[in-house]
Amino acid sequence: MAPLPPGAVCDPSLAVFNNASCTSVASQWTVSDFHAKDPLSVDQPNWENDACLPVLGVHCELQEYPRYVINATKPAHVQEGVNFARNHDVRLIVRGTGHDYLGRSTAPNSLSIWTHNIRGLQWQASFIPKGCSVAPAKAIKVAAGHRMFEIYEATAARGSIIVGGEDPDVGIGGYLTGGGHSPLSGQYGLAADNVLELELVTPLGDIKIANPCTNSDLFFAFRGGGGSTFGVMLSATLETYPISSLTWSHFEITQNSDTREPFWQAAAYFHSQLPRLVKSRLMGYYNISSVSPFEPSTPLILGAGVWILNTSVSAFDALLDPVLDHIEATYPVNVTRTSRYVPNFYDWWKITYPPGAVATESLLGSRLLDEKALSVPVEEIATNLAAAYPDLVFLFNLVSGPGMWDAKPAGGLGSMTPAWRRTVVELIVPVIFPPNNATARLAQASLLTNKYMAALRKWAPDTGTYLNEADVNEPDLPTAYWGHENSKRLATIKKKYDPEGVFWCGPCVGGRDWKVDEAGRVCKT
């Protein structure tokens, strides 16, 4: 395929220009499903340098996009694409849904393998990985083109669930290769901990099975080493679990003073209690932002949704209420809370977590906070939070716990940073900027790396980041992404299977072995 970007219908100089079509594309621009079904478009247009936004009268810079796209529907299509790119020194990328915060799903003047239409979900009532002598497990084999909502729906029909992503539109390929945190990770570990077997195409164009007993080095690399690096995932066989009940609470802590310092103290106390709460398998998501988004002068609010699987409301409240009661009694803040029992996790998830809006001009950074970081005095936690706050929003993923810390998957742990095994909470810092404004983008990127993330690195110097939500400008990128020993092992595996650099992207294993020159060519450093 040689597709045009969807915004091309807004460019009067192109034959596809059409006012009505431009209006239609613009109306769908923030919908992730729209981008997932398009062969070129990605969720974050800044990674395409805003080259063809759906604005009437736009001039599209088509060279910023992949030149050709292979609409892969079967393994042979992937093999042919990999072999062509290798034999002709063509820049190659892999794209599933385009839900990627690091810009790996697109590249100028490249060949793209689009895996969205490699389909198939196969229930495995008694699965044993090839070549292994292990007890069988209930599992589902998932082809590379599927998204979370499809997998959840298929497993729920059998009373089961996978360890999958919170957003229903996340694709399976990039999610698993980054490690994959989940609303269930505190109970069952990362998604990569629950992979039983992979089918993949290597940089040499060979189809291989990877599991604990066959091609175990590739099995290690694909579970956390990042996408677009070691080959193309065709399918993953994932262990399933019975659907759980849960008790869930929504609470808010709102600033009720003229200054922010008391709020940061209240938020800090909450964080000081997280190690104990997470040991009791509390999971969830929460954020800190201004009461009126994009108006930094308004009061701050911490809004949270948290849960524990298979527990009663009374037991849940006995754990959380003392923390919120202390905050309400001690600090000048307002606290509201509700809690309720939910009999079916899947039914609750599909109502509570719809797809998030996309197409914001943004960059992310993240840091894993462990018990050591959260055991310093409350005043120090408050100072650290305030120092890293970007006057926009903090996003917190409370996706750890005993299931994460004690995970012992067959074949050993994957290649994500070992810091996950002592993490309490992941803190994400986003920055935003206007479209088509390189000066503002560079300024925000610098603030992200050199101010906000620097404050978090100082607070938790011995942890790391979540690969799929990382700052692409991390100063010590390999160690932050994978840890020192894992990054060395991944580099060895990369050289073994891809010595010619068929797969390359900047924030990837081996990314610093190459650079893009002024003509746009990828050259050895």
Side-chain angles (χ1 to χ4, degrees):
M1 305 167 61
L4 293 172
V9 295
C10 302
D11 185 341
S13 70
L14 298 176
V16 295
F17 172 71
N18 182 281
N19 275 341
S21 296
C22 180
T23 300
S24 176
V25 170
S27 71
Q28 301 175 79
W29 197 242
T30 61
V31 179
S32 56
D33 182 67
F34 171 79
H35 298 279
K37 292 177 178 176
D38 185 89
L40 280 184
S41 194
V42 298
D43 281 1
Q44 307 301 133
N46 46 282
W47 293 114
E48 298 163 329
N49 290 318
D50 300 323
C52 194
L53 297 177
V55 178
L56 193 62
V58 70
H59 173 66
C60 292
E61 302 287 346
L62 301 181
Q63 74 277 3
E64 294 290 339
Y65 296 86
R67 185 67 60 88
Y68 295 100
V69 176
I70 296 173
N71 180 18
T73 60
K74 59 184 181 181
H77 294 159
V78 177
Q79 290 179 286
E80 291 165 9
V82 171
N83 289 335
F84 180 87
R86 185 186 65 254
N87 293 333
H88 296 278
D89 292 329
V90 172
R91 185 173 182 181
L92 181 67
I93 64 166
V94 184
R95 178 184 178 278
T97 65
H99 182 100
D100 179 17
Y101 297 116
L102 278 70
R104 299 163 295 185
S105 297
T106 188
N109 291 315
S110 59
L111 174 65
S112 173
I113 297 177
W114 188 32
T115 61
H116 178 69
N117 293 310
I118 301 178
R119 313 290 290 173
L121 296 167
Q122 300 175 17
W123 179 256
Q124 308 282 331
S126 185
F127 180 78
I128 298 176
K130 181 181 178 181
C132 294
S133 298
V134 296
K138 292 182 179 179
I140 186 169
K141 183 178 180 180
V142 180
H146 285 284
R147 287 177 278 171
M148 292 300 151
F149 76 91
E150 298 169 303
I151 309 167
Y152 283 152
E153 185 177 88
T155 53
R158 295 178 179 269
S160 299
I161 200 162
I162 64 160
V163 178
E166 173 259 329
D167 191 312
D169 273 339
V170 170
I172 194 67
Y175 174 71
L176 285 181
T177 52
H181 63 63
S182 167
L184 300 173
S185 284
Q187 188 79 14
Y188 301 117
L190 293 168
D193 296 332
N194 292 278
V195 177
L196 302 177
E197 187 167 275
L198 296 164
E199 184 182 15
L200 55 95
V201 174
T202 71
L204 292 178
D206 300 321
I207 295 178
K208 290 187 180 292
I209 296 294
N211 62 40
C213 312
T214 304
N215 298 308
S216 58
D217 52 354
L218 285 172
F219 190 61
F220 168 81
F222 267 78
R223 293 178 302 132
S228 301
T229 304
F230 301 97
V232 183
M233 195 190 86
L234 299 174
S235 71
T237 302
L238 310 173
E239 188 165 2
T240 63
Y241 298 93
I243 293 178
S244 302
S245 65
L246 71 152
T247 292
W248 174 74
S249 174
H250 173 75
F251 67 87
E252 293 181 350
I253 302 170
T254 308
Q255 177 184 334
N256 189 23
S257 61
D258 293 335
T259 62
R260 288 180 169 181
E261 285 77 10
F263 173 85
W264 287 123
Q265 292 285 328
Y269 177 78
F270 172 70
H271 284 85
S272 76
Q273 300 302 300
L274 284 182
R276 179 177 61 85
L277 297 175
V278 170
K279 287 174 184 176
S280 297
R281 300 184 186 270
L282 185 80
M283 298 175 277
Y285 302 102
Y286 60 100
N287 58 56
I288 293 175
S289 67
S290 296
V291 171
S292 297
F294 309 111
E295 293 184 28
S297 61
T298 58
L300 295 175
I301 182 171
L302 186 158
V306 295
W307 55 87
I308 297 177
L309 302 181
N310 301 320
T311 196
S312 66
V313 173
S314 59
F316 182 91
D317 287 346
L319 179 71
L320 186 60
D321 279 358
V323 176
L324 298 180
D325 289 343
H326 177 84
I327 290 172
E328 190 169 30
T330 308
Y331 305 100
V333 295
N334 295 325
V335 178
T336 61
R337 74 195 91 172
T338 60
S339 58
R340 63 187 177 94
Y341 174 80
V342 180
N344 184 295
F345 178 90
Y346 170 71
D347 290 341
W348 167 82
W349 167 85
K350 66 182 180 181
I351 295 171
T352 307
Y353 290 101
V358 299
T360 55
E361 303 282 329
S362 61
L363 296 169
L364 295 182
S366 67
R367 199 71 182 175
L368 305 178
L369 302 179
D370 59 4
E371 185 169 0
K372 177 183 175 183
L374 298 173
S375 297
V376 298
V378 168
E379 293 76 15
E380 188 174 338
I381 296 176
T383 299
N384 291 334
L385 288 170
Y389 186 62
D391 254 346
L392 177 65
V393 65
F394 272 155
L395 306 172
F396 294 87
N397 292 327
L398 201 61
V399 290
S400 197
M404 173 86 75
W405 304 327
D406 302 332
K408 293 180 175 59
L413 298 172
S415 45
M416 70 293 293
T417 173
W420 270 116
R421 308 307 165 179
R422 49 189 169 86
T423 290
V424 174
V425 64
E426 179 203 11
L427 169 51
I428 301 173
V429 181
V431 294
I432 60 172
F433 36 85
N436 285 311
N437 190 326
T439 301
R441 177 180 175 174
L442 289 172
Q444 288 299 314
S446 178
L447 284 171
L448 177 64
T449 302
N450 301 315
K451 181 179 179 182
Y452 310 133
M453 293 308 302
L456 294 180
R457 288 191 296 271
K458 182 179 178 181
W459 182 10
D462 302 322
T463 61
T465 185
Y466 172 45
L467 171 60
N468 282 345
E469 293 162 345
D471 178 8
V472 297
N473 296 311
E474 273 282 346
D476 186 4
L477 186 150
T479 301
Y481 284 18
W482 300 289
H484 182 65
E485 292 302 319
N486 281 357
S487 62
K488 288 197 300 182
R489 184 178 175 189
L490 287 169
T492 299
I493 296 170
K494 176 71 171 175
K495 290 176 182 177
K496 174 182 176 181
Y497 286 98
D498 192 14
E500 298 178 48
V502 176
F503 293 96
W504 177 84
C505 54
C508 298
V509 174
R512 297 183 179 183
D513 296 338
W514 302 76
K515 66 177 181 179
V516 179
D517 70 8
E518 294 181 357
R521 299 172 300 184
V522 180
C523 304
K524 283 253 187 183
T525 54

